Amino acid sequence: MSDRPHPLLIVVAALVYLFLMLPLVIVVGAALSDTTYLTFPPQGLSLRWFENIFEISAFRRTIVTSLQIAFMGTLLALLIGIPAAYALNRFRVELPKWLGTLFVLPILVPEIVFGFALLKSFAVGTGVPIFGALLIGHTLLVLPYVVRVISASLASFDFSIEEAAISLGSAPVKTFFTIVLPNVRAGVIAAFILAFITSLNDVSVSLFLTGPGISTLPIQILAHVEQFFDPTVASVSVLLMFLTVAVMAVVERTLGLTFLAK
Amino acid sequence: MTSRRFWRHNGATGWALSAPATLAVIGFLLIPIGAVIAGTFMDPRGVFAPYISYFNSGFRTTVLFRTLQIAAITTIISLIFGFMTAYVVSRAPGKLKSLLIIAAVFPLLTGVVVRAFAWLIILGRNGILNQTLLSLGIVNEPLEMLYTQGAVIIGMVYLFVPLMVLSLVGVLENIPRDVLQASSSLGASPIATFWQVLLPLAVPGLIVGAVLVFTGSFTAYATPQLLGGERQTVLATLLHQRAMVSFDWVGASTIAAIMTVITITIVLAMSHIARRINPMAT
């Protein structure tokens, strides 16, 4: 087999990429349409469906909730995930192997089961406000990404640098913040972004953890699509895509995008 | 000096640092899910009563088999197209390769709701596909494409092909080109090289990709909900409907238990197989 793929394979790959891109292009087109129904190619260009997003209070509210939950959940996951990832690498010999598996569990069990279990065994009966349950759900949902990405960064960190600092008299905690953390900065940024986007897009965990007045954007989009078939959802989708592009641009500038593919 | 020795050599520090995350996973994930599963065995009608009534219901067994079928078909289609695409990507020149990887990452970072919604616009009764077919005179009246199994599968393949491509590109890149060149210079035809050299070396990656896609499509909610509706009820949508519409907590818990057991079994079995047959490890 020569190094160059068969032309037929190239054609297939091109079609797969067309299949991946075309629907997203169609969503953008539909969002720009001037009509009150979804159509493509857009008939008359208009940005009125973007204005409409902010006129519907449910969208305004859920956008804020989603951003809050994604931000706070990611921070909480970093807060408990960074020490865990550090411990897994630094005390590899002392800690049991299953501990690493434990932190991956939230992506191993079906998300929708996790959401349901949180509702049934935790939110119902303990009196924890639904926002709190939602936040806990999202923190755990993104924890595996945080632990994994930061572990991967720490795996290539030479701990003898840390030892050198400590044996020269630097306090362990100070050494962590001045020596270890700066060396895995790229991993922390990548973990933050990956976790934030995962939380922002989540449906299955949030599905059960919404209550009176509290819902997330993807759940609101689902509800809206089932009732109306206007381009508002297309415009929300485009907003989310813009956010994704912006995030990808940031990643590209700071780490190079192949980082995300790992 | 003693305090530094303690920091360096005592596993207790490791436990202390990982304690918050460990307790969070145990307290908010393992115990709640364990309680849901344990609850299904405490039915006053008998230990296995919820499962007996689940499998006695023709509708619910149909839903289970439909879900398995959709997941299996989605996995096979994603494997075939993902593998071919990943091969082309892995052999593309540097700059084009990064561009192709970005183009696969982008849909992955776009939410599932947005990606299912896109197919709603395409496959709807007045959707783009129907408009096109009508205007070309290929059909006389709009086709009913939404709320079919095909629609759900297309939506799922769309969801998971990028994941398959990305998990295979790395594997294919790691296969030394010398191995393939050796095969062809020793006289193997391209087809023989593919079946006897490339494919066996890619099997561990294919298994990892297949597990990701199968478990993902087996438990997906938004795509079957939007593109399949009630006519294509799957386990995830049935779970939601039982819990939030019928308030049948036992029924919902039973579905949750079935989904968890099948998912975990597949993940464990396949990762065991992947480890055993990895030819690169020997």
Side-chain angles (χ1 to χ4, degrees), chain B residues 177-217:
Chain B
R177 294 180 184 204
D178 303 348
V179 177
L180 302 182
Q181 273 156 14
S183 168
S184 52
S185 67
L186 287 170
S189 68
I191 292 174
T193 305
F194 173 79
W195 284 108
Q196 291 169 21
V197 182
L198 185 64
L199 198 61
L201 285 172
V203 161
L206 289 170
I207 291 179
V208 171
V211 169
L212 286 176
V213 174
F214 188 89
T215 54
S217 48

Side-chain angles (χ1 to χ4, degrees), chain B residues 131-210:
Chain B
Q131 283 173 18
T132 313
L133 291 175
L134 283 171
S135 65
L136 291 176
I138 298 174
V139 294
N140 291 322
E141 49 188 276
L143 298 172
E144 294 292 337
M145 288 176 289
L146 270 185
Y147 313 122
T148 61
Q149 191 160 325
V152 179
I153 291 171
I154 289 178
M156 296 272 205
V157 169
Y158 184 64
L159 223 50
F160 291 111
V161 158
L163 198 63
M164 190 69 97
V165 172
L166 290 175
S167 52
L168 286 176
V169 167
V171 175
L172 290 173
E173 272 180 340
N174 286 335
I175 296 175
R177 294 180 184 204
D178 303 348
V179 177
L180 302 182
Q181 273 156 14
S183 168
S184 52
S185 67
L186 287 170
S189 68
I191 292 174
T193 305
F194 173 79
W195 284 108
Q196 291 169 21
V197 182
L198 185 64
L199 198 61
L201 285 172
V203 161
L206 289 170
I207 291 179
V208 171

Side-chain angles (χ1 to χ4, degrees), chain A residues 1 3 16-17 19-21 24 26 40 83 87 91 96 102 110 113-114 120-121 140 201 203 221 225-226 244 257, chain B residues 14-15 17 21-22 28-29 32 85 87 100 102-103 109 111 113 118-120 128 158 177 184 190 219 221 225 253 260:
Chain A
M1 193 176 274
D3 212 43
V16 168
Y17 272 100
F19 170 75
L20 289 183
M21 290 302 141
L24 297 178
I26 287 171
F40 184 89
F91 301 96
L102 187 78
V113 171
F114 174 46
K120 183 169 180 272
S121 324
L140 280 165
N201 286 330
V203 175
I221 295 177
V225 168
E226 282 170 4
T244 311
L257 261 175
Chain B
W15 279 109
L17 287 172
T22 310
F28 297 124
L29 187 112
T85 311
Y87 183 77
L100 290 173
I102 293 173
L109 295 181
V113 178
W119 285 97
L120 209 60
I128 293 149
Y158 184 64
R177 294 180 184 204
S184 52
T219 59
Y221 172 82
Q225 172 68 18
S253 302
T260 309

